[in-house]
Each structure stands twice: as C-alpha cells, then as structure tokens.
Amino acid sequence: MKSLTFPPAPAPALIDQVNILIVDDEPKNLTVLESILDDPGYRLVRANSGQEALLALMAEEFAVLVLDVRMPGMTGFELAQIIKERKKTSRVPIIFLTAYYNEDQHILEGYGTGAVDYLHKPVNTAVLRSKVAVFAELFSKGRALEAANRTLMTEVGERRKAEERLRELNETLDRRVTERTNTLELREAELRDANRRKDEFLATLAHELRNPLAPVRNAVQLLRLKGQAMPELQWGTDVIDRQIKAMSRLIDDLMDVSRINQGKIDLRHDWVTTEDVLRDAVESSRPLIDECGHELVLTLPDQRLSLYADRTRLTQAFMNLLNNAAKYMDRGGRIEVTAQHAGNDVVVTVKDKGIGIPGDRLQSVFEMFSQVETTLTRSRGGLGIGLSLTQRLIEMHGGTVLARSEGSGLGSEFEVRLPLTPELSPEVSSPPSQDLGVERFMPSQELRVLIADDNQDACATLASLLELMGYLVRQAHDGQAAVDAAADFDPQVVLLDIGMPKLNGYEACRHIRDQPGGAARTIVACTGWGQADDRRRSDEAGFDQHLVKPVDPDVLFELLATVAARASA
C-alpha cells in the first residue's frame, strides 16, 4: 500500500487552517485539485486510495472530503458508505467528482451514500472552490464554537448543552436546505428536458403518421375518379376518407397538447344529424367493442335531429365514451346508446354494465389524467384524457355531459345534452357527395408537374391521380433528382417533400429557383412537418405554399387549376 502524503505540521501562525482530504488514484488529478484549492486557510491532505483515506480520517478531522468516484479496489461510493457508518466520520461532508458516472441512477446513488454534492469532470474551478469554502467556513465556525463551548462547560453546563444542540440543529438545517435545493434544481432540469423531448417526440410522431396517410388519401381520390358508378366502392372510399380526415385532425391536436388544457381546439361547424355523428362514432369504436366481445344496442329517434356542429369533434367525443365503456367492462358486456328528443335539445346516453364509478369519484372522473381504476389487472391502456376531452368538446358545442353510477361494479351511464337546430332542412343536412365537382379542376391545357417525394407510394399515387386528370407528370425520389428533373422537364408546378435524401426540400427549392425560368415556377411544400417554424423555413427557402400531408385534394386541385388558368391567359 502506498504511504499517505501528509503535509508538515502547521506552524503557529497557520494554526487556524482547516484540513481538507482529497482522494484520487491518479496523482496528476491530485495535483490539479491542490492547485485549485490552494489557500492559506487550507491544509490539503492527499490520499491515493480508499484505504489511505480511511487511515487519514482515523488520524485527523477534516472539514470536507473531495472524493473521486471511480477508483480501483474501493470505489468512492463504497468509501462514502463506510465513512457514513462510522460515528466519528459520519458528519464529514463529501463532494463526489466523476468523469464517468453521469446518469440519473448514478447521481441518485451518490446522494444515497450521503454525499452533499456531485460534480462532473472537468471540474468548474469556481464552483468547486465555492463549495469547499462553504464547508471549510462551517467547519471553522464549528471548531470555534466547540472551543467556546468547552470554556463555558466549566461555568454553565446547561448552557453548553443548549448551544451544542443549537449547533447540531443548524448543521442539520443547512444540510437539509442544501440537499433540498440540489434536489429541486435536479428535478427542474429533468422537467425541462422531459418537456423538450416531449415536444420533439410529438412533432416527429405527427410527421411519421402523416406520411403514410398521404398515399392513402391519393388512392382514395383515384378510386373515386374510376369507380363512380359502383355504390359499394363509393361507400368504402367515403368511409376511408372520413377516417383519414379524423386521423389528420387528431394528429393536428397531437402537435400541441397544450391546446387541450387551454381550450384552443378550433371547431369547424357544419350541418350534421345526430344519427350521422353516432353512426360515425360506432363505426370508429366497433373494432374495440368487437374485440372485447360486447353487445352494442343503438336506439335512434324516428325524426332527424339536426345539429350545427363539428362532425369530427362530436364523433370523437362519443367515440371516447364508447371506448371508455368497452375498456372498463368485463368481456361479453352490453353497451346501450340511446338518442331522444327533449325539448330544444337532443339527449344521448351511453350506458354500460362495467366496473362503475364510486360515489366520491363522480365529480373528478372528467379531470385530466383521472382514471377510476388503475390496477394492472384491470387497465387496458389509455392516459385518462378521453373523458376530460369529451367534456370540453361537448361544452364547446353548448352542451353538457354528466356521469351517473350506482357504485363500484354496478355500471356507468353518461348523459350528453346538445342544442338542436330544427330549422335545418333535410336537403341541407345531408352531406354533399364527395365525388361531385372534380370536373371543375380539370386543366384547360397541359400543365407540367414535378413531384418529388422519397415515399414512393405517396409519389406514385399522386402522380397517377394527376395524370388521370390530364396533367403531364414527372417523378423524383430525392432532392438532387428533383433538381435534375426540373432542369430537364421545366415544370410549371413543383411539389416538393421536405425530408428527402441527398438534398432536403429547402435546399432543392433554392436550387430550382436558381435555374433558368425558376422564378416563374410555382413551388409547393408537401410535407408532414406542419409547425409554425416549418412554415417559416419554407417561406425563407422560396416556397409559394406549404401544404401539410395528407394534402386535401380539393386544395391541391384548385391550386393546379389556378396555375393552369394563369398559363392559358
């Protein structure tokens, strides 16, 4: 074992020095620490291992221990545990230094062994000096107070006891304040990081979900154009298109979850019927209901009950109620959905035979993240936001929603009351057919369109759709290929994805603009990235428009028709 390095005994002029023990298996690191902590008021004692440190602690008192975590033989954590178990050394403050252990579990382990701080190498010189100075000053004051107490002990024994107790309380309070402050700072940093990662995750998830929706929507438009005479095919495309729109709206909400808490969800009102909304909700929830083996009974009134509402949002609200009933009911249950006319309102009830709601939870069941039962044996997923969102959507439509239950195990009933609009005529209440009006977008002359997207399905389906409508189309599957195709094809319209290999959409747009005739081209971003910053970058890159996937076909067709008309003029 290497011998300890003890500095010479302090001279009388330096008798007020405090001992500081620095422990590291690397001599050069000890030299660096000595340089950082060089102070006339300190007497630095070096130790090259945990064993040497224990010998030093047995021989002398130290104001603070600066300890490397990673050492051969006995690690810093193990040494700290031994120190804290010995009465004589248990109150010695320990500052850990490490260049390796920087994960939360290691930090928590360090604090768990009794450390007062945990610093990463390379050490911030000012921070280390400041922290050591605090403990050195505390040690000096404690030593001075102990000397005063010993003097007073002979005169007033009780006073000595009181002051000793006060000193201990002060030290405990200081330590607790320091530990609490460090914990709060760590938690605040963790929350900031978690919030940042949440935003990044939501933006990426929304982008990845939008990409596969684009070719699906394009394929739906192709089916509509080619299968107008087939009612069953038309019905199927309507269902798919309606679900794509609902999915797109949900993805939009996913981009900014805070809008739910702040009530910033925008409604798109239109004339709908209660029957349409409930059938849409049943259609969306049917897979889960069937999977759970439940029976669904839907009772609708004879007359058409019209609403001026957002069909997708109301469907979402009732879908949440149906999904809630399906999830929290044993297999083979029964769900009853009833709609009836009540004065100027329509009242819809969703009743199940599930786990029920305790009486003390009826008022809180609509709170965000509230779940009646969270045990693993019952839970079938969900974050507890469905009922809260349902309540807010219903209230935004001028309605109310109530929860009823006889208690645990006795099922639940949710009553939704919405204002009716009886003045609506039956003709207006029926949604317009989706396949009408396409002819008005047919170009009066040939228009050259370049489509660039690394998602080949999205590129191919959109190209087929535009070719069917009479446009001349060229495809490219990366940014550089788009630039080359633009130079050769001389398109009048360029539809560019943003996230592409070789050159991204922003770079490709700039290159295409720099080509001869590039300034006159209409360049449109067609992308899954739809946040405000993405639109700003599109403007800066030179795009004329920014469309978010899945692109609304009517918006795209109207844009192309406008360019074609301008070219004809």
Side-chain angles (χ1 to χ4, degrees):
M1 178 182 297
K2 296 181 180 179
S3 61
L4 284 170
T5 304
F6 285 94
L14 302 179
I15 195 65
D16 291 334
Q17 282 184 320
V18 297
N19 294 332
I20 298 174
L21 179 59
I22 54 178
V23 186
D24 199 305
D25 62 307
E26 290 290 338
K28 61 180 181 180
N29 291 341
L30 292 173
T31 301
V32 171
L33 290 175
E34 286 180 331
S35 175
I36 293 175
L37 300 177
D38 184 22
D39 189 286
Y42 301 161
R43 176 172 170 263
L44 303 178
V45 177
R46 300 169 54 141
N48 296 313
S49 65
Q51 291 81 357
E52 291 185 5
L54 288 175
L55 291 176
L57 288 166
M58 293 175 63
E60 300 185 70
E61 291 185 345
F62 292 90
V64 63
L65 170 59
V66 180
L67 175 59
D68 184 32
V69 173
R70 188 173 183 181
M71 296 187 299
M74 182 187 302
T75 68
F77 290 158
E78 295 170 342
L79 175 59
Q81 189 67 39
I82 296 174
I83 292 173
K84 293 304 176 181
E85 290 175 352
R86 298 179 68 247
K87 183 175 181 180
K88 180 180 179 180
T89 59
S90 62
R91 296 188 182 277
V92 177
I94 300 174
I95 298 176
F96 278 128
L97 302 180
T98 179
Y100 300 93
Y101 298 96
N102 56 12
E103 296 182 358
D104 291 347
Q105 65 183 61
H106 298 122
I107 295 175
L108 293 175
E109 182 179 357
Y111 286 123
T113 60
V116 297
D117 218 325
Y118 195 105
L119 303 179
H120 298 287
K121 296 179 181 179
V123 176
N124 185 307
T125 301
V127 171
L128 180 59
R129 286 176 178 169
S130 175
K131 293 182 181 294
V132 170
V134 170
F135 294 114
E137 183 179 1
L138 287 175
F139 182 83
S140 298
K141 289 181 178 180
R143 186 166 58 184
L145 183 59
E146 289 176 355
N149 286 339
R150 285 193 298 270
T151 302
L152 293 174
M153 189 182 304
T154 58
E155 300 177 0
V156 186
E158 291 301 321
R159 183 177 179 180
R160 181 197 63 78
K161 295 179 181 179
E163 290 184 352
E164 178 69 16
R165 178 60 178 164
L166 179 60
R167 183 185 66 82
E168 293 177 355
L169 290 176
N170 285 337
E171 290 181 352
T172 301
L173 179 60
D174 289 341
R175 184 171 63 254
R176 288 181 177 178
V177 169
T178 301
E179 292 173 352
R180 182 61 176 168
T181 300
N182 292 337
T183 301
L184 290 176
E185 290 176 351
L186 177 62
R187 181 57 56 85
E188 182 181 0
E190 291 174 346
L191 290 175
R192 285 197 302 267
D193 184 61
N195 188 61
R196 175 188 59 79
R197 285 187 287 179
K198 179 263 295 180
D199 292 338
E200 293 176 354
F201 168 76
L202 291 180
T204 303
L205 178 61
H207 172 264
E208 294 302 322
L209 290 175
R210 282 187 175 122
N211 274 333
L213 288 180
V216 176
R217 169 163 276 184
N218 294 337
V220 167
Q221 295 303 315
L222 279 171
L223 291 174
R224 280 188 174 142
L225 291 176
K226 292 186 175 183
Q228 296 184 23
M230 301 175 61
E232 292 184 355
L233 181 59
Q234 184 63 46
W235 173 84
T237 55
D238 287 344
V239 171
I240 296 172
D241 190 53
R242 189 161 56 249
Q243 299 308 313
I244 291 174
K245 291 178 180 178
M247 187 71 173
S248 298
R249 291 286 297 275
L250 293 177
I251 292 173
D252 289 339
D253 284 343
L254 188 63
M255 292 294 293
D256 189 0
V257 176
S258 64
R259 285 187 298 172
I260 298 176
N261 291 326
Q262 299 174 18
K264 292 185 178 180
I265 300 177
D266 296 326
L267 298 182
R268 303 174 189 177
H269 288 85
D270 201 354
W271 300 111
V272 299
T273 67
T274 304
E275 178 180 353
D276 292 335
V277 171
L278 291 179
R279 291 194 184 279
D280 289 349
V282 169
E283 179 183 294
S284 299
S285 300
R286 176 63 70 181
L288 177 60
I289 295 173
D290 291 343
E291 179 185 349
C292 297
H294 299 321
E295 176 188 4
L296 174 65
V297 178
L298 177 62
T299 304
L300 299 172
D302 295 333
Q303 70 272 38
R304 297 171 65 86
L305 302 179
S306 302
L307 304 166
Y308 187 62
D310 186 321
R311 179 170 178 170
T312 299
R313 291 301 186 184
L314 276 188
T315 298
Q316 182 182 0
F318 286 110
M319 180 186 69
N320 286 339
L321 294 178
L322 289 171
N323 288 346
N324 187 74
K327 287 193 298 182
Y328 295 102
M329 184 163 53
D330 290 334
R331 185 172 184 82
R334 179 184 173 94
I335 303 173
E336 298 177 2
V337 181
T338 304
Q340 57 185 351
H341 192 183
N344 295 325
D345 299 330
V346 58
V347 178
V348 180
T349 58
V350 179
K351 188 174 183 180
D352 64 65
K353 301 293 183 181
I355 65 173
I357 306 172
D360 60 345
R361 297 295 305 277
L362 283 173
Q363 298 302 318
S364 63
V365 73
F366 293 105
E367 294 178 0
M368 187 72 75
F369 307 121
S370 174
Q371 290 180 311
V372 173
E373 189 169 82
T374 58
T375 60
L376 294 178
T377 57
R378 281 287 199 177
S379 178
R380 300 191 189 186
L383 298 176
I385 66 175
L387 292 180
S388 176
L389 181 57
T390 291
Q391 183 186 53
R392 298 185 189 191
L393 291 175
I394 295 299
E395 290 175 348
M396 291 174 69
H397 283 86
T400 59
V401 57
L402 301 174
R404 300 190 185 94
S405 178
E406 297 297 326
S408 298
L410 299 177
S412 306
E413 180 179 351
F414 290 86
E415 177 187 284
V416 176
R417 184 177 292 266
L418 291 166
L420 289 170
T421 52
E423 68 278 6
L424 181 64
S425 65
E427 290 77 14
V428 179
S429 65
S430 299
S433 177
Q434 298 289 340
D435 62 334
L436 297 178
V438 176
E439 292 79 4
R440 75 180 188 274
F441 297 126
M442 294 297 186
S444 57
Q445 69 168 34
E446 290 184 343
L447 192 72
R448 297 182 303 280
V449 181
L450 172 61
I451 305 172
D453 196 322
D454 60 332
N455 185 324
Q456 297 191 19
D457 286 340
C459 192
T461 53
L462 182 57
S464 298
L465 180 60
L466 297 185
E467 287 172 349
L468 186 62
M469 296 184 67
Y471 295 100
L472 295 177
V473 181
R474 180 76 62 86
Q475 300 181 47
H477 298 130
D478 62 67
Q480 185 59 55
V483 174
D484 296 339
D488 177 62
F489 185 51
D490 189 22
Q492 294 153 288
V493 179
V494 182
L495 306 178
L496 283 179
D497 185 26
I498 297 299
M500 294 189 294
K502 298 186 180 179
L503 292 176
N504 62 43
Y506 302 124
E507 296 168 334
C509 179
R510 294 187 180 97
H511 285 295
I512 292 174
R513 285 293 188 203
D514 292 337
Q515 293 176 351
R521 294 168 180 159
T522 299
I523 306 181
V524 181
C526 297
T527 175
W529 300 104
Q531 293 182 297
D533 186 61
D534 302 317
R535 297 177 184 276
R536 178 188 58 78
R537 294 182 64 187
S538 293
D539 291 338
E540 294 174 351
F543 282 97
D544 294 296
Q545 288 200 38
H546 186 110
L547 302 181
V548 178
K549 295 178 180 177
V551 176
D552 187 335
D554 287 347
V555 174
L556 179 59
F557 295 161
E558 186 170 356
L559 184 152
L560 295 175
T562 300
V563 176
R566 187 167 62 242
S568 298

